[in-house]
Amino acid sequence: MAIVTTIRREVLTLPAAELGPDNPLPPLRPLDELHRVDDRDDLPPDMARQIGYEPLGSLLPVHLRDGYERVRAPRGIDALVIENDRLRATVLPGLGGRIASLLHKPSRRELLYRNPVFQPAAFALNGAWFSGGIEWNIGATGHTTLACAPLHAARVPAPDGGEMLRLWEWERLRDLPFQVDLWLPDGSDFLYVGVRIRNPHEQPVPTYWWSNIAVPERRRVLAPAREAWHFGYERRLRTVPVPSYEEIRQLPHAADYFYDLPDARRRWIAALDEDGHGLVQTSTDVLCGRKLFVWGSGPGGRRWQEWLTEPGTEGYCEIQAGLARTQLEHVRLDPESEVSWLEAYGPLHSPAQTEKAEERLEAVLPRADVDAAYATWKPHADTAPGEILATGSGWGALEVLRADLKLPGTPFDDSTLGEAQEPWLELLRAGALPEPRRVRPPGETLVAPHWRDLLETAPAGPHTEYHLGVAQWHAGDRAQAVRSWERALELAPSVWPLLRCLAVFDQEVGNRERAADRYAEAFDDLCRERRDAGEAWTAATAALGREAIEALLVVGRTRDARSVWARLRPATRARGRFRFIEAGLLVAEGRREEARAVFEEGFEVADLREGAEAVGRLWERVSDEPLPDRYDFRMR
């Protein structure tokens, strides 16, 4: 029989905001992560243990992505389409390998929530994220740092003789390579997704994975469970009966429901419309967790729904599948081992009852067939890719060179090494980190133990000491980090990056006055050193200026904070985030009515974090009136 499954390139044109530059300042502060549990005493022992197993404390070596705004214009986004006569999946390799659309061709039904715009928002661990489709969350609790990053992609021979689309990358928070194989057998109503995460290291690594599926909001969500673990952003987990569709519709605030699936039950979750049509996701048993996330019917949830797309469009909820019972857990991946599974996505038509839906699923895709498809796919996971369709980062290639790794199926070729990896490649080969040829904002710091060891034995120039200090900070050795930065101050041609790091240390130990002094000195030095109005220097000025103003206001130095504000680029001061900072500065100066006028003129803080309440708190300082809807992002 002729194989008719095809993979082709396409350009998806959407109203889209530009991602902008990354924040060049190393993220030294602990993660302000909403998804934490304060009391684990009443949880099952295995859950409590996995919640406490090495939760992520730092974003390093990844930098924040906060350079985007909310101005959208038509833009072409590279896409890869895998299609047979039944399904068409549109994949965005440059944006985390997101499946933006899954169309069932015979019924012409879009099975996912398809966002009509590309609008980054601060939901990923490192900032930029966007809603819609199916995303692959690896790394640690939260949305992956790869949400808006490119992955490698290639054609690979499929088990049935056709083609698979392989996506792969090196996940940097945990230093783990992973792959996602999209396989669409001829005539199949189900897209198969084979996933593999490998630990090539000699130590165990905490591992995390959740496949996150956005579906239209008005769907009945079904899963084979009677109870669920509820997480409502009060940092508590508690068991509740699985809520009904009517109860979900009446929830005032955002909530997570992690279904407590019995061990012997098939792993699946479905979202069906009022006619019983919709999407079902199922998998082999390794992917054991299932979850529902809803925004709630309150004004904060409604505002977030608008924020992530555009007013007047359909809202969404999320159904998810993961490696643990809840997203707050990490599982151990043993040294030199791997974990893999197979997922299937496709249409389901069923009465909106759990038992009936499971019977219907078994009729259209038996559980045994999913297990058999996994067994068929697994030997092909090592197959060498054919035509390269997209290129990710060079970090995997650097790690492969460092450790002489053999990773069949996911080649990290030397040709992917770029400017970001060049100094670290020289450290690896020559034992010395090169000093920059010109003054510019520092690049990323590699912080894993093997790179820290190389930095410690390298000649101690100021650039090396700066990066060594960042790596020592990440390792928890604050005293050594401070010594490294202080040594570098004596010889560094540009001292503002070092002063900023020392200011963060001062804040962490409660010395707010000295932190303010160092921030002010750092910003003065940056303004002397910046060479042009280009993207890199503008991003550095904005990032350091924002931190400096906040640190100066904490100790009441409003005049110095105003001086920093005046030296920001005019385009930076016009950004929504900085209009908000301006309002706070005006309040600190006693100019309450002028601060209120900033609110009345309107601003949008593009990088507002999930669950952030700072806008509402500032409004309370300028007005006794209720918080206007446009500023209401409360999730509790």
Side-chain angles (χ1 to χ4, degrees):
M1 180 174 64
I3 300 297
V4 296
T5 299
T6 61
I7 300 173
R8 68 177 188 277
R9 300 177 191 270
E10 198 172 87
V11 175
L12 187 64
T13 300
L14 295 175
E18 295 288 347
L19 275 170
D22 286 1
N23 187 321
L25 306 182
L28 300 178
R29 293 182 179 85
L31 283 176
D32 183 18
E33 176 53 52
L34 279 176
H35 302 89
R36 289 206 309 270
V37 179
D38 289 337
D39 185 0
R40 301 198 294 269
D41 291 344
D42 295 331
L43 300 179
D46 61 329
M47 182 183 291
R49 182 178 64 254
Q50 291 190 156
I51 288 174
Y53 177 42
E54 295 192 35
L56 192 68
S58 166
L59 273 179
L60 288 166
V62 177
H63 275 196
L64 286 170
R65 308 201 74 172
D66 60 3
Y68 51 87
E69 282 297 319
R70 294 186 56 79
V71 177
R72 297 190 288 265
R75 182 160 65 93
I77 299 173
D78 289 337
L80 298 170
V81 176
I82 178 169
E83 181 174 14
N84 67 3
D85 59 332
R86 310 289 294 176
L87 284 178
R88 179 188 303 136
T90 302
V91 183
L92 308 181
L95 295 170
R98 181 82 58 100
I99 298 180
S101 168
L102 186 60
L103 181 72
H104 185 236
K105 293 162 69 174
S107 65
R108 299 184 180 179
R109 294 180 186 275
E110 173 59 61
L111 300 180
L112 306 175
Y113 166 74
R114 183 171 184 172
N115 198 332
V117 305
F118 172 69
Q119 177 56 63
F123 278 69
L125 287 164
N126 61 334
W129 172 88
F130 63 107
S131 65
I134 306 171
E135 62 176 304
W136 319 113
N137 286 312
I138 182 174
T141 299
H143 294 281
T144 178
T145 61
L146 296 165
C148 290
L151 304 191
H152 303 281
R155 299 179 194 269
V156 182
D160 61 0
E163 291 182 323
M164 290 192 297
L165 174 59
R166 176 165 298 162
L167 308 165
W168 73 98
E169 196 32 292
W170 188 276
E171 200 287 311
R172 300 180 66 204
L173 296 179
R174 303 299 196 183
D175 271 332
L176 298 176
F178 72 97
Q179 71 189 78
V180 177
D181 286 355
L182 306 179
W183 171 30
L184 192 52
D186 183 30
S188 174
D189 273 329
F190 284 85
L191 174 68
Y192 291 149
V193 180
V195 182
R196 175 168 64 168
I197 306 171
R198 287 187 273 198
N199 176 11
H201 310 297
E202 295 178 352
Q203 303 81 30
V205 177
T207 308
Y208 175 93
W209 181 281
W210 281 80
S211 300
N212 187 350
I213 309 141
V215 294
E217 186 175 33
R218 293 182 180 274
R219 294 290 187 271
R220 291 182 182 270
V221 174
L222 305 175
R226 296 183 181 275
E227 291 188 326
W229 291 91
H230 171 267
F231 182 82
Y233 298 87
E234 295 88 12
R235 294 179 175 169
R236 285 186 60 227
L237 266 176
R238 57 189 178 90
T239 53
V240 298
V242 168
S244 68
Y245 174 71
E246 290 72 22
E247 290 170 327
I248 290 292
R249 296 289 300 158
Q250 294 171 15
L251 285 172
H253 300 297
D256 296 331
Y257 291 94
F258 300 102
Y259 294 101
D260 195 3
L261 277 61
D263 289 341
R265 290 293 290 272
R266 182 176 184 177
R267 267 48 187 166
W268 64 274
I269 190 167
L272 307 179
D273 65 18
E274 59 184 12
D275 296 323
H277 290 280
L279 172 81
V280 65
Q281 185 270 2
T282 186
S283 70
T284 48
D285 289 353
V286 166
L287 201 68
C288 61
R290 292 298 185 274
K291 173 194 167 184
L292 165 65
F293 167 78
V294 293
W295 279 109
S297 59
R302 295 301 91 197
R303 186 69 181 106
W304 275 119
Q305 291 268 32
E306 294 176 352
W307 187 255
L308 296 170
T309 177
E310 57 186 6
T313 55
E314 187 178 28
Y316 76 96
C317 62
E318 294 171 354
I319 58 175
Q320 304 186 24
L323 277 178
R325 207 176 323 181
T326 74
Q327 282 180 324
L328 310 173
E329 302 168 67
H330 299 87
V331 300
R332 173 187 167 112
L333 188 56
D334 288 330
E336 299 178 343
S337 70
E338 64 180 48
V339 60
S340 61
W341 63 89
L342 187 119
E343 305 178 45
Y345 296 82
L348 186 69
H349 182 209
S350 168
Q353 301 162 12
T354 300
E355 298 299 332
K356 295 290 186 183
E358 189 161 15
E359 289 174 9
R360 182 60 186 154
L361 173 59
E362 188 65 21
V364 297
L365 184 64
R367 184 179 189 177
D369 286 5
V370 175
D371 293 337
Y374 170 74
T376 302
W377 163 75
K378 189 60 171 62
H380 292 258
D382 283 348
T383 302
E387 178 191 2
I388 300 297
L389 299 172
T391 302
S393 77
W395 297 112
L398 184 67
E399 293 297 333
V400 166
L401 283 173
R402 181 196 63 80
D404 190 28
L405 299 177
K406 309 301 179 187
L407 298 171
T410 55
F412 294 95
D413 194 81
D414 291 1
S415 63
T416 63
L417 293 165
E419 182 180 0
Q421 292 82 40
E422 282 180 5
W424 301 97
L425 189 60
E426 186 162 340
L427 174 64
L428 183 64
R429 290 174 169 169
L433 195 69
E435 292 292 325
R437 296 186 180 90
R438 57 189 174 88
V439 174
R440 59 182 177 180
E444 297 179 68
T445 304
L446 297 184
V447 296
H450 39 266
W451 291 106
R452 189 173 71 248
D453 291 345
L454 287 171
L455 287 168
E456 287 175 345
T457 57
H463 192 55
T464 300
E465 294 282 16
Y466 163 79
H467 285 292
L468 175 58
V470 175
Q472 290 166 331
W473 180 274
H474 178 262
D477 195 342
R478 302 291 198 258
Q480 285 289 3
V482 167
R483 281 193 282 272
S484 295
W485 292 327
E486 288 177 340
R487 284 195 301 267
L489 278 175
E490 301 172 6
L491 298 173
S494 181
V495 298
W496 67 265
L498 298 159
L499 289 169
R500 183 265 176 176
C501 291
L502 291 167
V504 173
F505 166 74
D506 290 331
Q507 289 176 321
E508 291 292 301
V509 298
N511 195 333
R512 297 183 297 179
E513 288 287 352
R514 190 167 67 181
D517 288 340
R518 280 175 161 159
Y519 266 120
E521 186 181 351
F523 194 77
D524 289 345
D525 184 66
L526 183 149
C527 290
R528 287 190 296 268
E529 291 290 347
R530 60 186 178 187
R531 296 299 191 255
D532 52 50
E535 186 177 81
W537 282 108
T538 297
T541 305
L544 184 60
R546 171 177 168 178
E547 292 186 11
I549 290 171
E550 292 170 351
L552 290 162
L553 289 180
V554 163
V555 296
R557 290 166 56 175
T558 55
R559 182 174 298 179
D560 291 336
R562 176 62 68 179
S563 173
V564 172
W565 170 264
R567 285 176 285 168
L568 296 171
R569 306 285 190 198
T572 298
R573 293 199 298 266
R575 293 174 58 185
R577 163 59 68 178
F578 288 86
R579 292 284 286 156
F580 172 61
I581 290 172
E582 180 186 20
L585 178 56
L586 288 166
V587 168
E589 292 171 331
R591 299 156 68 182
R592 187 169 178 262
E593 290 304 315
E594 291 175 72
R596 178 176 175 128
V598 173
F599 275 90
E600 291 173 346
E601 291 168 13
F603 58 83
E604 292 185 321
V605 181
D607 62 329
L608 196 68
R609 290 293 293 180
E610 177 185 8
E613 298 174 351
V615 176
R617 287 197 296 269
L618 184 59
W619 172 258
E620 291 173 356
R621 298 177 66 188
V622 303
S623 176
D624 297 326
E625 299 173 12
L627 180 66
D629 288 346
R630 68 178 299 177
Y631 300 121
D632 189 350
F633 293 91
R634 288 171 291 192
M635 295 181 69
R636 57 178 180 170

